[in-house]
Amino acid sequence: MPQQSSPPSPGDAPAQIESVCCNPQAQVRLKDRATWKIHGKLEYSSEQTEGKLRDMFEKLLKASDILSPSVTKLLQKPGLSVEEKKLLRLTNPDNIQVESNYRGPHIKSPITRSTFVDLIEAFQQGHVLHEKYVYVILHQARAILKTLPNVNHIDLSNLHYIFIVGDLHGQLADLLHIFNANGLPATDNPFIFNGDFVDRGPNSVEVILLLLVALILYPSSVFLNRGNHEDHMVTFRYGFENEVNRKYTKCKTSLIDLFKDLFSWLPIYSSVDTGISKLMIVHGGISDRINLSQINSLTRNRLDSSLSIPPISKNIGQRLTKDEEDEYLQMADLLWCDPDPEDRPGCRNNDNRSMACYFGPDVTEKFLSKNHFSMLIRSHEVKEKGYEFEHNNKVLTVFSASNYNGESNWGAIARWDYKTEEPWVMSYTSQDIAPVEELSFNKQVTLFEDPVYQSLMETIVAKQSLLRKEFERSDRNQTNHISLTNWADIMKNVLQIDLPWFNLRSKFV
């Protein structure tokens, strides 16, 4: 990890100025720092506008009792989820025909690794996936996301290692470079994607579809965290909705509604047990008001716009309760906060973003200690080298979109191996990224894509309630563990399938 340097004293200033004037390399470094400072200001200036819009909407909502009913309904509509039955009906892929002149990829059930590679190849050639198949992917992924808790619990004793990917922002070339360099997601090649999959870049639709297909294929080794751009008011301003409108003109409204709903079901953060310590991986950061017990139990899909408009109270027509307001503010902090660039203690207003806060090294130390974490890994901020360690190396920022928004930054990902104390951070530049159309990926089908295995998994899922009851009955002391022999007997008896369950345990446990 990089050494922390102490700040220069004011008395060193004349010597520093002379050093810079006489040293061309120092001049370049000074220019680069100034360029990045300007870039940061420009990057966040639009978010300041967004913050002002948020304030305006909040004032309008608070004054809704003096507005006409139609205006009040219009203002409140963005914060409400589309009624589920209507959403499912409007986006039912069975009701959509594929035109005979469609030349893009076709998706057959079940989705397999071969399907995944076919989609990559089609997106490399610039094909737009038919809306029918987009709905197929979104519905299958949504069904998985709805079953997940607010926190992804990840144990490296099972997975052995994990790749941590930061902001992608619709940059397909960066995602495919990551896959080309490190392998496609698989049961034995796990990934966390830490939010901000969409906006800014030209291929947000393709990036999010590939990540969702990876989740469908490997729900036990692909994990998605929500970012601040998985927010329908943000995607409205920063490009994703315009991309959907452009690529899917016939069904843009219902498709955007389905994306909005799916984003609301993304888990909030991940907790990783490395074998010797624990990591918290979250998109933005933390604050001094974060209460993980409250975060772990909130109804996350109600907070479908953590930026622009507070959620509607569960008691319709009433003000938010104290708990509801706390949840809303904490969610905004987790998705929007940044480490204090000046290492000031405590939390202070984040004037660059006009929302959430900067959190100091003392806040980091106290939070990690209280919640038994050793490090906070986050994304959310573009970094010149694609990553940066801060707060005494207790905070690592990973940003994976290279040349983001026309700038010259590197991209980076991190890998954490079982029972290691530090991550392995890998950076790359635009020169490292091969042309998208030249990449090739392996379609080889493994056990986990075999139709027989898929059929067996469907049988297990169909009887999961009965299996859970039998596991709990066998675990008389409530240790959350049972012997392998008992597990194998229960699988055989409940499923009524005589297989060598003891030997298959590594494939199912």
Side-chain angles (χ1 to χ4, degrees):
M1 291 187 181
Q3 297 293 319
Q4 301 294 313
S5 58
S6 58
S9 64
D12 295 335
Q16 285 184 324
I17 293 171
E18 181 179 357
S19 174
V20 168
C21 291
C22 299
N23 188 332
Q25 290 183 338
Q27 293 176 22
V28 171
R29 286 195 297 270
L30 187 63
K31 181 180 177 181
D32 286 344
R33 283 198 296 270
T35 300
W36 274 96
K37 191 168 184 179
I38 292 170
H39 169 69
K41 294 291 184 183
L42 291 174
E43 169 69 12
Y44 299 137
S45 62
S46 57
E47 292 175 358
Q48 292 178 8
T49 303
E50 195 73 43
K52 293 174 183 177
L53 287 174
R54 179 200 69 227
D55 294 340
M56 181 192 73
F57 270 109
E58 287 188 16
K59 290 175 183 177
L60 286 171
L61 283 173
K62 289 176 181 177
S64 62
D65 56 334
I66 62 173
L67 299 174
S68 68
S70 60
V71 174
T72 301
K73 183 177 180 181
L74 178 64
L75 288 173
Q76 291 179 339
K77 186 177 180 181
L80 297 174
S81 298
V82 178
E83 196 275 323
E84 188 165 16
K85 288 184 179 178
K86 181 180 179 182
L87 177 66
L88 296 178
R89 176 173 56 81
L90 291 176
T91 59
N92 185 350
D94 294 337
N95 297 334
I96 300 173
Q97 296 297 318
V98 178
E99 299 82 358
S100 58
N101 62 350
Y102 170 69
R103 293 295 176 264
H106 293 261
I107 292 182
K108 298 179 181 179
S109 185
I111 291 175
T112 65
R113 184 185 181 89
S114 183
T115 309
F116 190 31
V117 177
D118 287 343
L119 281 179
I120 290 175
E121 292 177 347
F123 294 158
Q124 287 174 308
Q125 298 166 20
H127 289 296
V128 175
L129 185 63
H130 195 279
E131 65 193 72
K132 178 185 180 75
Y133 304 129
V134 175
Y135 285 145
V136 168
I137 293 171
L138 294 188
H139 280 298
Q140 289 192 30
R142 179 179 180 272
I144 293 171
L145 291 171
K146 287 186 66 177
T147 68
L148 300 179
N150 291 346
V151 50
N152 289 310
H153 292 284
I154 302 167
D155 188 346
L156 294 191
S157 66
N158 296 322
L159 297 178
H160 307 300
Y161 65 86
I162 196 156
F163 291 108
I164 303 156
V165 181
D167 298 39
L168 288 165
H169 281 297
Q171 297 190 188
L172 181 64
D174 287 278
L175 176 62
L176 296 189
H177 169 75
I178 292 166
F179 288 163
N180 185 55
N182 304 286
L184 290 175
T187 303
D188 57 355
N189 197 39
F191 282 81
I192 299 175
F193 297 94
N194 197 28
D196 279 15
F197 318 123
V198 302
D199 282 338
R200 303 284 198 187
N203 296 106
S204 292
V205 169
E206 289 73 25
V207 166
I208 185 62
L209 289 179
L210 288 178
L211 299 186
L212 294 176
V213 169
L215 173 70
I216 293 166
L217 286 173
Y218 310 108
S220 62
S221 55
V222 171
F223 308 93
L224 307 182
N225 290 341
R226 181 173 167 180
N228 64 301
H229 278 259
E230 280 68 61
D231 175 323
H232 70 96
M233 292 299 284
V234 178
T235 59
F236 176 76
R237 281 182 56 83
Y238 293 103
F240 179 62
E241 290 199 13
N242 285 337
E243 183 182 334
V244 173
N245 289 341
R246 186 175 69 255
K247 293 178 177 177
Y248 298 97
T249 54
K250 292 192 300 183
C251 63
K252 57 187 180 184
T253 301
S254 58
L255 184 53
I256 287 171
D257 283 338
L258 186 55
F259 268 118
K260 170 188 166 182
D261 182 82
L262 179 139
F263 288 159
S264 75
W265 288 107
L266 288 167
I268 302 168
Y269 72 99
S270 295
S271 174
V272 181
D273 186 342
T274 72
I276 56 176
S277 60
K278 276 205 318 178
L279 315 173
M280 180 181 183
I281 302 178
V282 67
H283 179 73
I286 56 174
S287 70
D288 51 10
R289 62 185 165 203
I290 298 297
N291 180 335
L292 288 187
S293 294
Q294 195 171 8
I295 292 296
N296 293 347
S297 60
L298 62 78
T299 307
R300 67 179 182 273
N301 69 306
R302 292 188 65 252
L303 297 165
D304 64 346
S305 180
S306 64
L307 163 67
S308 307
I309 303 176
I312 304 300
S313 174
K314 294 177 183 177
N315 302 314
I316 303 299
Q318 302 295 317
R319 290 178 176 239
L320 292 178
T321 65
K322 177 66 166 57
D323 283 346
E324 288 173 335
E325 185 174 10
D326 284 347
E327 290 174 356
Y328 163 67
L329 293 173
Q330 289 183 62
M331 184 74 142
D333 287 347
L334 291 170
L335 301 186
W336 284 88
C337 280
D338 297 309
D340 195 306
E342 300 175 16
D343 279 353
R344 297 188 195 178
C347 289
R348 62 184 176 97
N349 290 337
N350 189 331
D351 294 330
N352 282 334
R353 297 190 189 274
S354 290
M355 69 174 301
C357 72
Y358 286 124
F359 59 96
D362 59 324
V363 176
T364 297
E365 191 68 41
K366 184 176 179 180
F367 176 87
L368 295 178
S369 176
K370 176 182 176 182
N371 295 286
H372 309 293
F373 291 114
S374 62
M375 178 179 278
L376 176 70
I377 300 180
R378 39 93 63 178
S379 302
H380 192 44
E381 284 184 288
V382 60
K383 297 296 182 181
E384 186 174 6
K385 293 183 179 179
Y387 73 96
E388 185 176 10
F389 287 95
E390 297 172 271
H391 293 186
N392 301 313
N393 294 328
K394 294 296 181 66
V395 175
L396 169 61
T397 298
V398 179
F399 194 91
S400 301
S402 65
N403 288 23
Y404 171 63
N405 207 25
E407 292 302 320
S408 58
N409 66 287
W410 293 25
I413 68 170
R415 169 173 162 156
W416 204 297
D417 287 69
Y418 181 52
K419 287 194 173 179
T420 59
E421 296 183 353
E422 298 178 359
W424 174 23
V425 182
M426 296 159 277
S427 292
Y428 49 88
T429 68
S430 56
Q431 287 77 22
D432 299 323
I433 299 177
V436 166
E437 61 275 8
E438 294 181 6
L439 297 177
S440 178
F441 295 94
N442 185 8
K443 290 187 181 181
Q444 181 180 355
V445 176
T446 68
L447 166 66
F448 300 96
E449 286 77 52
D450 189 281
V452 175
Y453 176 84
Q454 294 288 340
S455 177
L456 182 56
M457 286 301 299
E458 290 172 4
T459 302
I460 292 173
V461 170
K463 296 194 176 183
Q464 60 181 326
S465 296
L466 186 54
L467 284 168
R468 185 176 290 110
K469 288 180 181 178
E470 292 300 317
F471 293 152
E472 290 172 352
R473 185 177 302 169
S474 180
D475 181 22
R476 296 176 181 176
N477 296 324
Q478 297 183 336
T479 63
N480 291 326
H481 292 83
I482 60 174
S483 70
L484 287 173
T485 303
N486 285 353
W487 176 83
D489 289 342
I490 291 170
M491 295 295 285
K492 176 182 177 181
N493 295 333
V494 171
L495 300 180
Q496 293 294 297
I497 301 175
D498 189 9
L499 290 173
W501 290 106
F502 193 87
N503 295 327
L504 289 171
R505 64 191 184 281
S506 63
K507 307 300 182 185
F508 293 94
V509 177

